[in-house]
Amino acid sequence: MEEGPGQEAPVTRRRVLALGAGGFAVLLAGGAGLAGSRSGGGAADAGAPGSPSAGTFSPSMAAAVLANRADAVREGDRMAFLATVGNAPAAFQDTQSRMYGNLRKLPLEGWRERVVGTEAVDGETAVVRVEARYRLRGFDRSDVARTRYLTLAPRGGAWTIVGDGTSRGLADDTDIWDCGPQTVVRGRTSLVIGDGAGLDGIARRLDAAVPAVTSVVGTGWARRVVALVPADATVASALAGPGQSLGQIAALAAVAPAAGGGRGEDRVIVSPGTFGRLNELGRDVVLAHELTHVATGGARDGRTPLWLIEGFADYVGYRRVKISTRSAAGELRREVSAGRAPSALPSADAFAGGSPRLSQAYQEAWLACRMVADRYGEAALVRLYRAAGRAPEAAALRDVLGLTRERFTELWRDYVKEELA
């Protein structure tokens, strides 16, 4: 992509595009999914022998409060919801009030909380581990499960919520309702949720990307997508999972964990600060790339080689945009021009966030997939991708292309030189 008057600097994989594609590498290293629901481990289970106040608190006491909260969310009764935290500090009440408002904006097909364990109990308080379940109507096929912690205390003859679990070092799984006052944009095939900027534009781009991705991968996927767009990069990172950071990532595909250990629900997480620095082409490519992961199950795939997962997503992402190969693979082109052509397909480690050749790894993977499409046809590339998810890489290359891995690598190296020299 050449710069023109008034045009932003070209998208580079190191500067921004590794961003979206790199999101999967980060996700793979940290385990698939958003912040996974934790099984936890209580300091004492309710009713366990030796619990100092097991006789004064039981999960059923918390269950009644949680049932009231679920009813209030379903019926739109803010006062009833806030009554369950009426004795909590003002700051916690404010957080719960914002959470209620955000929940009411979501197209929820059920939202409920249930006690799954007791972390601690004494004469004055009980800290419970709660599983929050919900489903987004028209998009989710199963319930998503999030782990939360609530502190309860006796007030006026009943137990009531007075806080979360932070006083005991317990952190909730973050979900989009934890962001600031949010907006929900419903596109033709997309649902975009958050308090970040540009939600309408993201919905339009995703709507346009769905048929583009489908034209390559086929109709055997849901052909709809949920995107989460928090304004705070810290929240975006928390949605990615414990220990993850989206500071240099524009978007990533992830899986929200399902209740009962099911397959989970796909999400695209957008980090607006970084995403907002992309030019128009970059935004299209990044979202189409992540949507390809959604369509192919890339965030769940532990078998297909990472060069093929990421290269295929880039192939689809770049397929409908006008950009020269030399511009899209600028970092790799400079290496080839200096006589340092790649000798081997990028390993999984090359896609790690701290890799010194992260940009080049994505460019190498993209060109490998582009070579297959150019020489054997796009249908062959799709067959190769699917075969590699069922069989070892060498077997997939042999069965689909009739090539050994060594011969495939030779052809790819020649192709890289031809395209970038």
Side-chain angles (χ1 to χ4, degrees), residues 97-136:
S97 178
R98 184 176 67 247
M99 171 182 159
Y100 169 86
N102 287 342
L103 286 170
R104 284 293 300 169
K105 293 177 182 177
L106 297 175
L108 292 174
E109 187 176 322
W111 181 86
R112 62 191 185 278
E113 299 167 306
R114 70 183 186 94
V115 177
V116 294
T118 304
E119 299 297 313
V121 63
D122 58 35
E124 297 299 325
T125 60
V127 182
V128 295
R129 186 171 70 255
V130 172
E131 180 188 68
R133 292 189 177 197
Y134 72 95
R135 188 180 305 196
L136 297 176

CSV table of all heavy atoms in Angstrom, one decimal, residues 97-136:
chain,number,residue,atom,x,y,z
A,97,SER,N,-24.4,-0.7,40.1
A,97,SER,CA,-25.4,0.1,39.4
A,97,SER,C,-25.0,0.1,37.9
A,97,SER,O,-25.9,-0.1,37.0
A,97,SER,CB,-25.6,1.5,40.0
A,97,SER,OG,-26.5,2.2,39.2
A,98,ARG,N,-23.8,0.4,37.7
A,98,ARG,CA,-23.3,0.4,36.3
A,98,ARG,C,-23.4,-0.9,35.6
A,98,ARG,O,-23.8,-1.1,34.5
A,98,ARG,CB,-21.9,0.9,36.2
A,98,ARG,CG,-21.3,1.1,34.8
A,98,ARG,CD,-19.9,1.7,34.7
A,98,ARG,NE,-18.9,0.8,35.3
A,98,ARG,CZ,-18.3,1.0,36.4
A,98,ARG,NH1,-18.5,2.1,37.1
A,98,ARG,NH2,-17.4,0.2,36.9
A,99,MET,N,-23.1,-2.0,36.4
A,99,MET,CA,-23.2,-3.3,35.9
A,99,MET,C,-24.6,-3.6,35.5
A,99,MET,O,-24.9,-4.2,34.4
A,99,MET,CB,-22.7,-4.3,36.9
A,99,MET,CG,-22.9,-5.8,36.6
A,99,MET,SD,-22.3,-6.8,38.0
A,99,MET,CE,-23.2,-8.3,37.7
A,100,TYR,N,-25.6,-3.3,36.3
A,100,TYR,CA,-27.0,-3.5,36.0
A,100,TYR,C,-27.4,-2.8,34.8
A,100,TYR,O,-28.0,-3.4,33.9
A,100,TYR,CB,-27.8,-3.0,37.2
A,100,TYR,CG,-29.3,-3.0,36.8
A,100,TYR,CD1,-30.1,-4.2,37.0
A,100,TYR,CD2,-29.9,-1.9,36.3
A,100,TYR,CE1,-31.4,-4.2,36.6
A,100,TYR,CE2,-31.3,-1.9,36.0
A,100,TYR,CZ,-32.0,-3.0,36.1
A,100,TYR,OH,-33.3,-3.0,35.8
A,101,GLY,N,-27.0,-1.6,34.6
A,101,GLY,CA,-27.3,-0.8,33.4
A,101,GLY,C,-26.8,-1.5,32.1
A,101,GLY,O,-27.4,-1.5,31.1
A,102,ASN,N,-25.5,-2.0,32.2
A,102,ASN,CA,-24.9,-2.6,31.1
A,102,ASN,C,-25.6,-4.0,30.8
A,102,ASN,O,-25.8,-4.3,29.6
A,102,ASN,CB,-23.4,-2.9,31.4
A,102,ASN,CG,-22.6,-1.6,31.3
A,102,ASN,OD1,-23.1,-0.6,30.7
A,102,ASN,ND2,-21.4,-1.6,31.8
A,103,LEU,N,-25.9,-4.7,31.8
A,103,LEU,CA,-26.6,-6.0,31.6
A,103,LEU,C,-28.0,-5.7,30.9
A,103,LEU,O,-28.4,-6.5,30.0
A,103,LEU,CB,-26.9,-6.7,32.9
A,103,LEU,CG,-25.6,-7.3,33.6
A,103,LEU,CD1,-26.0,-7.8,35.0
A,103,LEU,CD2,-25.2,-8.5,32.7
A,104,ARG,N,-28.7,-4.7,31.3
A,104,ARG,CA,-30.0,-4.4,30.7
A,104,ARG,C,-29.9,-4.0,29.2
A,104,ARG,O,-30.9,-4.2,28.5
A,104,ARG,CB,-30.7,-3.3,31.5
A,104,ARG,CG,-31.2,-3.8,32.8
A,104,ARG,CD,-32.4,-4.8,32.6
A,104,ARG,NE,-33.5,-4.1,31.9
A,104,ARG,CZ,-34.5,-4.8,31.4
A,104,ARG,NH1,-34.6,-6.1,31.5
A,104,ARG,NH2,-35.5,-4.2,30.7
A,105,LYS,N,-28.7,-3.6,28.8
A,105,LYS,CA,-28.6,-3.2,27.4
A,105,LYS,C,-28.3,-4.4,26.5
A,105,LYS,O,-28.4,-4.3,25.3
A,105,LYS,CB,-27.5,-2.2,27.2
A,105,LYS,CG,-27.8,-0.8,27.8
A,105,LYS,CD,-26.7,0.2,27.7
A,105,LYS,CE,-27.0,1.5,28.4
A,105,LYS,NZ,-25.8,2.4,28.4
A,106,LEU,N,-27.8,-5.5,27.1
A,106,LEU,CA,-27.5,-6.7,26.3
A,106,LEU,C,-28.7,-7.5,25.9
A,106,LEU,O,-29.7,-7.5,26.7
A,106,LEU,CB,-26.5,-7.6,27.2
A,106,LEU,CG,-25.2,-7.0,27.6
A,106,LEU,CD1,-24.5,-8.0,28.5
A,106,LEU,CD2,-24.3,-6.7,26.4
A,107,PRO,N,-28.6,-8.1,24.8
A,107,PRO,CA,-29.8,-9.0,24.3
A,107,PRO,C,-29.6,-10.3,25.1
A,107,PRO,O,-29.3,-11.3,24.5
A,107,PRO,CB,-29.6,-9.1,22.8
A,107,PRO,CG,-28.1,-9.0,22.7
A,107,PRO,CD,-27.6,-8.0,23.7
A,108,LEU,N,-29.9,-10.3,26.3
A,108,LEU,CA,-29.7,-11.5,27.2
A,108,LEU,C,-30.8,-12.5,27.0
A,108,LEU,O,-32.0,-12.2,27.0
A,108,LEU,CB,-29.6,-11.1,28.6
A,108,LEU,CG,-28.4,-10.3,29.1
A,108,LEU,CD1,-28.5,-9.8,30.5
A,108,LEU,CD2,-27.1,-11.1,28.9
A,109,GLU,N,-30.4,-13.7,26.8
A,109,GLU,CA,-31.3,-14.9,26.9
A,109,GLU,C,-31.0,-15.6,28.2
A,109,GLU,O,-30.4,-16.7,28.2
A,109,GLU,CB,-31.1,-15.8,25.7
A,109,GLU,CG,-32.2,-16.9,25.6
A,109,GLU,CD,-32.0,-17.7,24.3
A,109,GLU,OE1,-31.7,-17.1,23.3
A,109,GLU,OE2,-32.2,-18.9,24.4
A,110,GLY,N,-31.4,-15.0,29.3
A,110,GLY,CA,-31.1,-15.5,30.6
A,110,GLY,C,-29.8,-14.9,31.2
A,110,GLY,O,-28.8,-14.8,30.5
A,111,TRP,N,-29.8,-14.6,32.4
A,111,TRP,CA,-28.6,-14.2,33.2
A,111,TRP,C,-28.9,-14.6,34.6
A,111,TRP,O,-29.9,-14.2,35.2
A,111,TRP,CB,-28.4,-12.7,33.1
A,111,TRP,CG,-27.1,-12.3,33.9
A,111,TRP,CD1,-25.9,-12.2,33.4
A,111,TRP,CD2,-27.1,-11.8,35.2
A,111,TRP,NE1,-25.0,-11.8,34.4
A,111,TRP,CE2,-25.7,-11.5,35.5
A,111,TRP,CE3,-28.0,-11.6,36.2
A,111,TRP,CZ2,-25.3,-11.1,36.7
A,111,TRP,CZ3,-27.6,-11.1,37.5
A,111,TRP,CH2,-26.2,-10.9,37.7
A,112,ARG,N,-28.0,-15.4,35.2
A,112,ARG,CA,-28.2,-15.8,36.5
A,112,ARG,C,-26.9,-16.1,37.2
A,112,ARG,O,-25.9,-16.3,36.5
A,112,ARG,CB,-29.1,-17.1,36.6
A,112,ARG,CG,-28.5,-18.3,35.9
A,112,ARG,CD,-29.6,-19.4,35.7
A,112,ARG,NE,-29.0,-20.6,35.1
A,112,ARG,CZ,-28.9,-20.8,33.8
A,112,ARG,NH1,-29.2,-19.8,33.0
A,112,ARG,NH2,-28.4,-22.0,33.4
A,113,GLU,N,-26.9,-16.1,38.5
A,113,GLU,CA,-25.7,-16.4,39.3
A,113,GLU,C,-26.0,-17.6,40.2
A,113,GLU,O,-27.1,-17.6,40.8
A,113,GLU,CB,-25.3,-15.2,40.1
A,113,GLU,CG,-24.9,-13.9,39.3
A,113,GLU,CD,-24.9,-12.7,40.2
A,113,GLU,OE1,-25.8,-12.4,40.9
A,113,GLU,OE2,-23.8,-12.0,40.2
A,114,ARG,N,-25.0,-18.4,40.4
A,114,ARG,CA,-25.2,-19.5,41.4
A,114,ARG,C,-24.0,-19.7,42.2
A,114,ARG,O,-22.9,-19.6,41.7
A,114,ARG,CB,-25.7,-20.8,40.7
A,114,ARG,CG,-24.6,-21.5,39.9
A,114,ARG,CD,-25.2,-22.7,39.2
A,114,ARG,NE,-24.1,-23.4,38.5
A,114,ARG,CZ,-23.4,-24.5,39.0
A,114,ARG,NH1,-23.7,-24.9,40.3
A,114,ARG,NH2,-22.5,-25.1,38.3
A,115,VAL,N,-24.1,-20.0,43.5
A,115,VAL,CA,-23.0,-20.3,44.3
A,115,VAL,C,-22.4,-21.7,43.9
A,115,VAL,O,-23.1,-22.7,43.9
A,115,VAL,CB,-23.4,-20.3,45.8
A,115,VAL,CG1,-22.2,-20.7,46.7
A,115,VAL,CG2,-24.0,-18.9,46.2
A,116,VAL,N,-21.1,-21.7,43.7
A,116,VAL,CA,-20.4,-22.9,43.4
A,116,VAL,C,-19.4,-23.3,44.5
A,116,VAL,O,-18.8,-24.4,44.4
A,116,VAL,CB,-19.7,-22.9,42.0
A,116,VAL,CG1,-20.8,-22.8,40.9
A,116,VAL,CG2,-18.7,-21.7,41.9
A,117,GLY,N,-19.2,-22.4,45.4
A,117,GLY,CA,-18.2,-22.7,46.5
A,117,GLY,C,-18.2,-21.6,47.5
A,117,GLY,O,-18.6,-20.5,47.2
A,118,THR,N,-17.7,-21.9,48.7
A,118,THR,CA,-17.5,-20.9,49.7
A,118,THR,C,-16.0,-20.7,50.0
A,118,THR,O,-15.4,-21.7,50.3
A,118,THR,CB,-18.2,-21.3,51.0
A,118,THR,OG1,-19.6,-21.5,50.7
A,118,THR,CG2,-18.1,-20.2,52.0
A,119,GLU,N,-15.5,-19.5,49.8
A,119,GLU,CA,-14.1,-19.3,49.9
A,119,GLU,C,-13.7,-19.1,51.4
A,119,GLU,O,-12.6,-19.5,51.8
A,119,GLU,CB,-13.7,-18.0,49.1
A,119,GLU,CG,-13.9,-18.2,47.6
A,119,GLU,CD,-13.1,-19.3,47.0
A,119,GLU,OE1,-11.9,-19.3,47.3
A,119,GLU,OE2,-13.6,-20.1,46.3
A,120,ALA,N,-14.5,-18.4,52.2
A,120,ALA,CA,-14.3,-18.2,53.6
A,120,ALA,C,-15.6,-17.8,54.3
A,120,ALA,O,-16.5,-17.3,53.6
A,120,ALA,CB,-13.2,-17.1,53.7
A,121,VAL,N,-15.6,-18.2,55.5
A,121,VAL,CA,-16.8,-17.8,56.3
A,121,VAL,C,-16.3,-17.6,57.8
A,121,VAL,O,-15.5,-18.3,58.3
A,121,VAL,CB,-17.9,-18.9,56.2
A,121,VAL,CG1,-17.4,-20.2,56.8
A,121,VAL,CG2,-19.2,-18.4,56.9
A,122,ASP,N,-16.8,-16.5,58.4
A,122,ASP,CA,-16.6,-16.3,59.8
A,122,ASP,C,-17.8,-15.7,60.4
A,122,ASP,O,-18.9,-15.7,59.7
A,122,ASP,CB,-15.3,-15.4,60.0
A,122,ASP,CG,-15.5,-14.0,59.3
A,122,ASP,OD1,-16.6,-13.5,59.3
A,122,ASP,OD2,-14.4,-13.5,58.9
A,123,GLY,N,-17.7,-15.2,61.6
A,123,GLY,CA,-19.0,-14.8,62.3
A,123,GLY,C,-19.6,-13.6,61.6
A,123,GLY,O,-20.8,-13.3,61.8
A,124,GLU,N,-18.9,-12.8,60.8
A,124,GLU,CA,-19.4,-11.5,60.3
A,124,GLU,C,-19.6,-11.6,58.8
A,124,GLU,O,-20.5,-10.9,58.3
A,124,GLU,CB,-18.4,-10.4,60.6
A,124,GLU,CG,-18.3,-10.1,62.1
A,124,GLU,CD,-19.6,-9.8,62.8
A,124,GLU,OE1,-20.4,-9.1,62.1
A,124,GLU,OE2,-19.8,-10.2,63.9
A,125,THR,N,-18.8,-12.3,58.1
A,125,THR,CA,-18.9,-12.3,56.6
A,125,THR,C,-18.7,-13.7,56.0
A,125,THR,O,-18.2,-14.6,56.7
A,125,THR,CB,-17.8,-11.4,56.0
A,125,THR,OG1,-16.5,-11.9,56.3
A,125,THR,CG2,-18.0,-10.0,56.4
A,126,ALA,N,-19.2,-13.9,54.8
A,126,ALA,CA,-19.0,-15.1,54.0
A,126,ALA,C,-18.6,-14.7,52.6
A,126,ALA,O,-19.3,-13.8,52.0
A,126,ALA,CB,-20.2,-16.0,54.0
A,127,VAL,N,-17.6,-15.2,52.1
A,127,VAL,CA,-17.1,-15.0,50.7
A,127,VAL,C,-17.5,-16.2,49.9
A,127,VAL,O,-17.0,-17.3,50.2
A,127,VAL,CB,-15.6,-14.6,50.6
A,127,VAL,CG1,-15.2,-14.3,49.2
A,127,VAL,CG2,-15.3,-13.5,51.6
A,128,VAL,N,-18.3,-16.0,48.8
A,128,VAL,CA,-18.7,-17.1,48.0
A,128,VAL,C,-18.2,-16.9,46.6
A,128,VAL,O,-18.0,-15.8,46.1
A,128,VAL,CB,-20.2,-17.3,48.0
A,128,VAL,CG1,-20.8,-17.6,49.4
A,128,VAL,CG2,-20.9,-16.0,47.4
A,129,ARG,N,-17.9,-18.1,46.0
A,129,ARG,CA,-17.5,-18.1,44.6
A,129,ARG,C,-18.8,-18.4,43.8
A,129,ARG,O,-19.5,-19.3,44.0
A,129,ARG,CB,-16.5,-19.2,44.3
A,129,ARG,CG,-16.0,-19.2,42.9
A,129,ARG,CD,-14.8,-20.2,42.8
A,129,ARG,NE,-15.2,-21.6,42.9
A,129,ARG,CZ,-15.0,-22.4,43.9
A,129,ARG,NH1,-14.4,-21.9,45.0
A,129,ARG,NH2,-15.3,-23.6,43.9
A,130,VAL,N,-19.0,-17.5,42.8
A,130,VAL,CA,-20.3,-17.5,42.1
A,130,VAL,C,-20.0,-17.7,40.6
A,130,VAL,O,-19.0,-17.2,40.0
A,130,VAL,CB,-21.0,-16.2,42.2
A,130,VAL,CG1,-22.2,-16.1,41.3
A,130,VAL,CG2,-21.4,-16.0,43.7
A,131,GLU,N,-20.8,-18.6,40.0
A,131,GLU,CA,-20.8,-18.7,38.5
A,131,GLU,C,-21.9,-17.9,37.9
A,131,GLU,O,-23.1,-18.2,38.2
A,131,GLU,CB,-20.9,-20.2,38.1
A,131,GLU,CG,-20.9,-20.4,36.6
A,131,GLU,CD,-21.2,-21.8,36.2
A,131,GLU,OE1,-22.4,-22.2,36.4
A,131,GLU,OE2,-20.3,-22.6,35.7
A,132,ALA,N,-21.5,-16.9,37.1
A,132,ALA,CA,-22.5,-16.1,36.4
A,132,ALA,C,-22.7,-16.7,35.0
A,132,ALA,O,-21.7,-17.0,34.3
A,132,ALA,CB,-22.1,-14.7,36.3
A,133,ARG,N,-23.9,-17.1,34.6
A,133,ARG,CA,-24.2,-17.6,33.3
A,133,ARG,C,-25.1,-16.7,32.5
A,133,ARG,O,-26.0,-16.1,33.1
A,133,ARG,CB,-24.9,-19.0,33.5
A,133,ARG,CG,-24.1,-20.1,34.1
A,133,ARG,CD,-24.9,-21.4,34.0
A,133,ARG,NE,-24.1,-22.5,34.5
A,133,ARG,CZ,-24.4,-23.8,34.2
A,133,ARG,NH1,-25.4,-24.1,33.4
A,133,ARG,NH2,-23.6,-24.8,34.7
A,134,TYR,N,-24.8,-16.6,31.2
A,134,TYR,CA,-25.7,-15.9,30.3
A,134,TYR,C,-25.5,-16.3,28.9
A,134,TYR,O,-24.6,-17.1,28.6
A,134,TYR,CB,-25.3,-14.4,30.4
A,134,TYR,CG,-24.0,-14.0,29.8
A,134,TYR,CD1,-23.9,-13.5,28.5
A,134,TYR,CD2,-22.8,-14.1,30.5
A,134,TYR,CE1,-22.7,-13.2,27.9
A,134,TYR,CE2,-21.6,-13.8,29.9
A,134,TYR,CZ,-21.6,-13.3,28.6
A,134,TYR,OH,-20.4,-13.0,28.1
A,135,ARG,N,-26.4,-15.9,28.1
A,135,ARG,CA,-26.4,-16.2,26.6
A,135,ARG,C,-26.8,-15.0,25.9
A,135,ARG,O,-27.8,-14.3,26.3
A,135,ARG,CB,-27.3,-17.4,26.4
A,135,ARG,CG,-27.2,-18.0,25.0
A,135,ARG,CD,-28.1,-19.1,24.8
A,135,ARG,NE,-27.9,-20.2,25.8
A,135,ARG,CZ,-28.3,-21.4,25.6
A,135,ARG,NH1,-29.0,-21.8,24.6
A,135,ARG,NH2,-28.1,-22.3,26.6
A,136,LEU,N,-26.2,-14.7,24.8
A,136,LEU,CA,-26.6,-13.5,24.0
A,136,LEU,C,-27.5,-14.0,22.9
A,136,LEU,O,-27.1,-14.8,22.0
A,136,LEU,CB,-25.3,-12.9,23.3
A,136,LEU,CG,-24.3,-12.2,24.3
A,136,LEU,CD1,-23.1,-11.7,23.6
A,136,LEU,CD2,-25.0,-11.2,25.2
